Amino acid sequence: MAPVAFAPYNSHDFAVEEATVPDSPPPSPDRPQQYLHSLANGLTLVAEFIPAVRSAAVTLLVPAGAASDPADQGGNATVLADWMLRGAGSRDNRALTAYLDDLGVQRSLSAETVFLRLAGAMLGKNLLAVLPVFADIVQRPMMPDDGFEPAIDLALQQLDAIEDEPSHKLSLLIRERHYPFPFGRPSVGKRDDLEALTAERLRDDCRARLTPQGSILAVAGQFDWPALVAAVEKAFGEWKPLTPTVLEILPGPRGNLHVTQETNQSQIGLAWDAVPDSDPDSILLQAAMNVLSGGMGARLFTEIREKQGLCYSVHAGYASLKKQGAVFGYSGTAPDRAQQTLDSFIHELHRFEAGVTQEELDRAKIGMKSRVIMQGESSGARAGAIAYDFYHRGRTRTLDELRDLIDGVTLKRVNEFLAANPVKELTVVTIGPSALEVRGLGARG
Amino acid sequence: MAPVAFAPYNSHDFAVEEATVPDSPPPSPDRPQQYLHSLANGLTLVAEFIPAVRSAAVTLLVPAGAASDPADQGGNATVLADWMLRGAGSRDNRALTAYLDDLGVQRSLSAETVFLRLAGAMLGKNLLAVLPVFADIVQRPMMPDDGFEPAIDLALQQLDAIEDEPSHKLSLLIRERHYPFPFGRPSVGKRDDLEALTAERLRDDCRARLTPQGSILAVAGQFDWPALVAAVEKAFGEWKPLTPTVLEILPGPRGNLHVTQETNQSQIGLAWDAVPDSDPDSILLQAAMNVLSGGMGARLFTEIREKQGLCYSVHAGYASLKKQGAVFGYSGTAPDRAQQTLDSFIHELHRFEAGVTQEELDRAKIGMKSRVIMQGESSGARAGAIAYDFYHRGRTRTLDELRDLIDGVTLKRVNEFLAANPVKELTVVTIGPSALEVRGLGARG
């Protein structure tokens, strides 16, 4: 099992067994270095060695997120995320917590749309002692009876808390309306489903869904690659693959939705379709998004917040499922300015389609490159980034590759892309005292 | 102006002119290194060189935060924080934004309790081009007429948004009730004051309060110390000191307050007095706080959330003004469990006074040391940390010193400290459908 370094490698290389590349050069001690190792059971280990840090960050993605919750059990993944930490392998709840605390591991387990995400940050010297415990958590969770009711209660309380936070509630509603089912399902679940759930049903669901097939283990920071591969093989090699859940996909409801609520601020959410992250053109959209909403000089901020003073918060961000991307826009504003805010937002979308200027693009590229370099200094950020890189495109990208990608963005390419990909249909959700009229783009749908 | 390295230096050294230490050794290229330089006008430059990073982070603290807002002008600092970025020196709003964006600077200006905080993250190579602009912002803000109304509007909208977020509202109320005036003043201000404010009054206030006296400029990451000192002297050396604002301090209202509101969750805030950060014993309190609320193994989380499932969120954190510290506790919980949650929280405070175990303390120390090392990898975190280090104790602390400090914490010292510093008086604020009874500790006050 000789290590193989790749920087960058092409999208088919990850299927190549490392043993077939025995003569790859050893990693240079002062340069970041990326690695990949595929386990026979379907788990993929990706890693980025960061010479300058003493920390190591781990992100383990298991395809058992909210999207694959059974149809009538919305929220299972969220309850599982709590329950699974209440003891695993030979360690009960208390022993598991004590073991990880004794190694100074900051960790979290959360239900995302596609994945359950187990993340940890620690000193590199403790990495190999932590991996077997992470393996226990996903392969041998105890799911003790006495931990089930508290886990359900906590999920119900999360739902209550969201009702008290209109901006949070909006962010869930706009995803649910825009994304195809089941990718818009809120990971916090539904009250009726949670109240009907039993420990036995959740155990069955857990046994049916936690699989190495399609799981990704990302490590960034300080480690020794051969030792890491050996430790991962030992801890995760026996994890049995299951038949993956096949998701039945249905279109999202889309259109416009208003929820009347006597809030002090009106909440406005917008969504429109975009290319997926794996599309080679997604870098063009990302550059353009930085012109629209990248910071204090970006259009939404200067035009709607600064010049017109319409709202304190206004922004838009690109997100991507594996086969489909979307842009989500948000504003929280005074009810008597909400209509004008929505109109102005849509006006900016028209301007967006018409293209950006050379000056705007240059500025956006500088910001993107700065953030790439700064991200490279954080083991936690890099572990998350390479995990999702692998999910979206079957390979990881080095910082150098990301920099080259940004350098290759030209005004011509961006503006041709924007003209060819107009905002065809807008999904709009509002929460507040009164409904708004969606004028302009919405009508084109 | 020869560089002086200190690691650590004692609390009086910062008054020593660097020129008196001409023979200090050059910084070792692979070790973090701290520096200090005092300007004649009262501004102090503190810096930590981090050899492994390419980024540089800047934190500039100017003592013009909410606490020093004129008595009838609550919110001035928040409005200023917006207005000051709308043009400075020879650059109008647009030119200022473009200049900083062209250097890839992520920045923010915010009103804290004591300070206005201007923070920036950038590549080290751009640091010297950014400092003169930061100097313009605090010395020569344009405060243009056409930016005033939008800045006021945004502050008012922040107030509206807080009314929609009970947990945010609670966090402001508990500080306002517990801290002495003016340190409990919410930086977002008061509606009446904001509506009565004029551009001219705010300009006068700005001219009276923005002073190098007591200001701290912290830089962490990649830089060349002699060049940094020269650039800071050039950019900030002519900044004229003003007579510092003398704050009239009045005791906080304290006691118990309930705000009736038909929320889904009850919000509970607690506060009690603690030693200030500059007290040598504060490290003992911080270690103990990690036992109470440091993570998944901490007492509040395991006892109240995990075992009893009473609430999704429960935590407590230490905070410190210059001469006075406090611990703030929080829980968001179902209204029908709110009383039990509050009772359990107070029960944990009794147990807290009775001391922690060796096992709990060892675990807390490991977590603290891990976080110190991980913080050392982030230029942004280090810039903020050394700025506040200097504010609290007149000197910065190296990572090695922090590690030694944690190593020096013993069970005997912690438990003697806890026994000698019981929770004498509790300030309690609740928001929700019905009031709660404060039983136990509150009665002792």
Side-chain angles (χ1 to χ4, degrees), chain A residues 351-429:
Chain A
R351 279 184 63 213
F352 190 54
E353 287 169 21
V356 303
T357 68
Q358 186 69 53
E359 197 185 0
E360 286 177 319
L361 179 63
D362 290 345
R363 209 159 275 155
K365 287 168 65 177
I366 290 167
M368 292 167 81
K369 284 201 283 185
S370 287
R371 287 192 293 278
V372 162
I373 293 172
M374 289 189 235
Q375 188 199 74
E377 294 171 2
S378 162
S379 52
R382 288 304 295 159
I386 62 175
Y388 272 96
D389 249 358
F390 186 82
Y391 171 62
H392 282 295
R393 47 185 63 75
R395 63 187 198 85
T396 57
R397 295 177 295 182
T398 63
L399 296 174
D400 284 347
E401 181 181 358
L402 290 170
R403 196 201 52 212
D404 292 347
L405 201 59
I406 297 164
D407 278 334
V409 171
T410 63
L411 187 66
K412 186 166 177 291
R413 288 180 69 203
V414 169
N415 284 343
E416 283 176 4
F417 173 84
L418 290 173
N421 294 274
V423 180
K424 288 200 197 81
E425 190 196 350
L426 214 50
T427 304
V428 180
V429 176

Side-chain angles (χ1 to χ4, degrees), chain B residues 14 63 125 175 226 240 243 246 349-350 367 414 444:
Chain B
F14 70 93
K125 66 177 181 175
R175 275 163 185 72
K240 293 277 176 298
T243 312
V246 177
L349 297 189
H350 281 291
V414 169
R444 294 203 217 166

Side-chain angles (χ1 to χ4, degrees), chain A residues 166-174 267-269 330 429-431:
Chain A
S167 61
H168 191 172
K169 183 173 168 180
L170 180 92
S171 72
L172 299 182
L173 276 173
I174 187 73
Q267 306 287 330
I268 302 173
Y330 168 77
V429 176
T430 50
I431 299 177

